[in-house]
Amino acid sequence: MKCALACLLAACGGGDAEVSCGPASGRVAEVLDGDTVVLESGERVRYLLADAPERTGGDCFGPEAHAFNRGLVEGRRVALTYGEACEDRFGRLLAYVSVEGREVNTLLVERGHACVLHVPPAGRSRRAEFQALEAQARLARRGVWGACAPVPCQR
């Protein structure tokens, strides 16, 4: 009964039903950088609300962000949850990515491996949460906030 009501609300545009933009899970075949992976199925996935320094091109802390992300997800099965938009302008899926119950997007921001990047409407519902995580990392001088001047991913 509960499911039927939730399905009805979603069909009518009510409730907070999750958007389905792509697979609900997949195995990570390749970690491109600190905030983008490729699944074995070929989809490129960009983490919502996390902007890590580039690993190539000399960005401060880029190799560290890449290594952190790689250590968490490479070769592992991940769960994908989608936000308000399905893809970015480059055709990558936009998702919150979790591995073994830990959300990678939040780990990257709270540990200073990424800054918050909000490109409306993607991530609107969780923007304040991520901004608070970034503020804590900045205050504690974790990751890019202690290692880089200027911070490469900061706008």
Side-chain angles (χ1 to χ4, degrees):
M1 180 73 149
K2 197 175 192 180
C3 178
L5 180 58
C7 293
L8 182 61
L9 284 172
C12 296
D16 291 326
E18 283 182 14
V19 176
S20 180
C21 299
S25 66
R27 186 167 306 279
V28 175
E30 183 181 3
V31 176
L32 298 178
D33 56 28
D35 56 36
T36 309
V37 297
V38 179
L39 302 179
E40 285 181 344
S41 56
E43 288 99 350
R44 286 181 183 244
V45 180
R46 173 75 164 74
Y47 298 159
L48 270 168
L49 293 172
D51 183 29
E54 298 302 320
R55 76 176 170 127
T56 58
D59 273 2
C60 176
F61 220 73
E64 292 85 350
H66 174 253
F68 181 75
N69 188 24
R70 191 174 181 194
L72 288 171
V73 301
E74 189 171 67
R76 306 198 51 204
R77 189 155 213 47
V78 296
L80 304 167
T81 306
Y82 301 95
E84 297 86 350
C86 291
E87 292 183 350
D88 67 7
R89 63 188 174 126
F90 303 108
R92 299 174 294 191
L93 291 174
L94 296 171
Y96 299 104
V97 176
S98 297
V99 61
E100 294 183 359
R102 299 181 301 169
E103 188 180 84
V104 179
N105 310 51
T106 53
L107 288 172
L108 287 165
V109 173
E110 75 183 6
R111 298 200 183 166
H113 292 282
C115 302
V116 174
L117 175 63
H118 176 242
V119 181
R124 178 181 54 236
S125 63
R126 296 186 61 195
R127 181 179 182 187
E129 171 193 348
F130 275 75
Q131 287 173 327
L133 292 172
E134 181 183 283
Q136 291 169 2
R138 187 183 302 204
L139 200 60
R141 300 187 52 76
R142 287 192 289 262
V144 296
W145 305 108
C148 307
V151 173
C153 53
Q154 194 175 25
R155 287 135 324 273

